[in-house]
């Protein structure tokens, strides 16, 4: 059937890219996937599937990450949650936190109760010193997951940086109640409580938590 399609037709690449992957012709496969993603005549649902395949391929072949980014930056294809999450993780690894946040937030629109996405979005907001956004997101996340200690910790950090001292203390102390056998996170709670009480001019408690 492929022989009936003109060799220069962009549609032929839709059928060929998997064949190229199976044959180990990675350069040809990458070229075909990039071309498919930037062909207006191809259905958006189909392009979304190709994009998912592309992301999966790059996970196993990170040397082609640049090609993936070029392809996704130049296409308006609707990306699914997995593709957006993987793109966010890639950007985070490369140090582009703004683009990582952008992709994670787009994924969150499709899965607003995804715990990992919620946590990662809050963490990046804090990393970028966007404390108002981090506080707002952590409050929303706590409504969904009121027993997750990490969310209380992130809420506390956000409040500390916004000088909401008592709110920070309340959140951090509540989060400790949900913490079970996690010495590393417990240490983080104590560090933040020490800072919060220091801001509240309670040096005795600050020293105790320190």
């Amino acid at each position: 059937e492929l022989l009936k399609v003109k060799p220069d037709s962009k549609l032929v690449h839709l059928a060929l890219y998997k064949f190229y992957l199976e044959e180990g012709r990675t350069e040809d496969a990458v070229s075909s996937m990039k071309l498919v993603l930037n062909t207006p005549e191809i259905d958006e649902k189909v392009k979304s599937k190709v994009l998912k395949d592309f992301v999966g391929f790059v996970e196993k072949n990170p040397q082609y990450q640049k090609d993936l980014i070029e392809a996704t930056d130049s296409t308006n294809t609707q990306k699914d949650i997995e593709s957006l999450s993987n793109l966010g993780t890639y950007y985070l690894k490369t140090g582009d936190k703004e683009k990582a946040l952008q992709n994670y937030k787009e994924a969150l629109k499709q899965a607003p109760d995804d715990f990992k996405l919620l946590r990662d979005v809050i963490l990046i907001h804090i990393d970028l010193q966007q404390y108002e956004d981090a506080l707002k997101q952590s409050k929303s996340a706590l409504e969904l997951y009121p027993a997750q200690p990490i969310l209380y910790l992130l809420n506390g950090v956000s409040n500390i940086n916004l000088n909401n001292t008592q709110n920070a203390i309340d959140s951090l102390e509540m989060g400790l109640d949900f913490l079970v056998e996690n010495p590393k996170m417990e240490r983080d709670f104590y560090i933040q409580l020490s800072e919060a009480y220091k801001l509240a001019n309670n040096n005795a408690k600050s020293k105790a938590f320190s």
Side-chain angles (χ1 to χ4, degrees), residues 12-37 50 53-54 57-58 61 64 67 71:
V12 75
H13 292 277
L14 180 57
L16 278 178
Y17 82 89
K18 283 202 170 187
F19 168 75
Y20 287 144
L21 287 177
E22 290 170 1
E23 291 294 306
R25 295 168 59 180
T26 52
E27 295 292 340
D28 290 329
V30 168
S31 296
S32 290
M33 285 188 281
K34 290 170 73 173
L35 195 56
V36 167
L37 292 175
V50 174
D53 288 341
F54 203 168
F57 167 75
V58 170
N61 303 272
Y64 292 99
D67 294 280

Side-chain angles (χ1 to χ4, degrees), residues 152-168:
Y152 290 94
L153 178 61
L154 298 178
N155 181 274
V157 170
S158 303
N159 273 306
I160 286 173
N161 283 279
L162 292 169
N163 292 314
N164 302 326
T165 309
Q166 190 56 52
N167 288 344

Side-chain angles (χ1 to χ4, degrees), residues 3 50 52 62 90 103-104 115 135 157 163 170-171 194-196:
L3 295 177
V50 174
K52 186 175 181 179
Y90 166 70
N103 280 280
Y104 281 145
F115 175 74
L135 181 60
V157 170
N163 292 314
D170 291 344
S171 182
S194 177
E195 180 64 23

Side-chain angles (χ1 to χ4, degrees), residues 65-66 68-74 79 83-104 124:
Q65 286 174 335
K66 184 179 179 182
L68 173 62
I69 299 308
E70 287 176 355
T72 53
D73 280 350
S74 59
K79 304 176 184 69
S83 297
L84 287 164
S85 298
N86 289 336
L87 285 169
T89 301
Y90 166 70
Y91 280 120
L92 198 58
K93 286 179 180 178
T94 61
D96 194 337
K97 295 170 186 174
E98 292 284 0
K99 279 211 168 184
L101 182 61
Q102 179 184 334
N103 280 280
Y104 281 145
I124 297 176

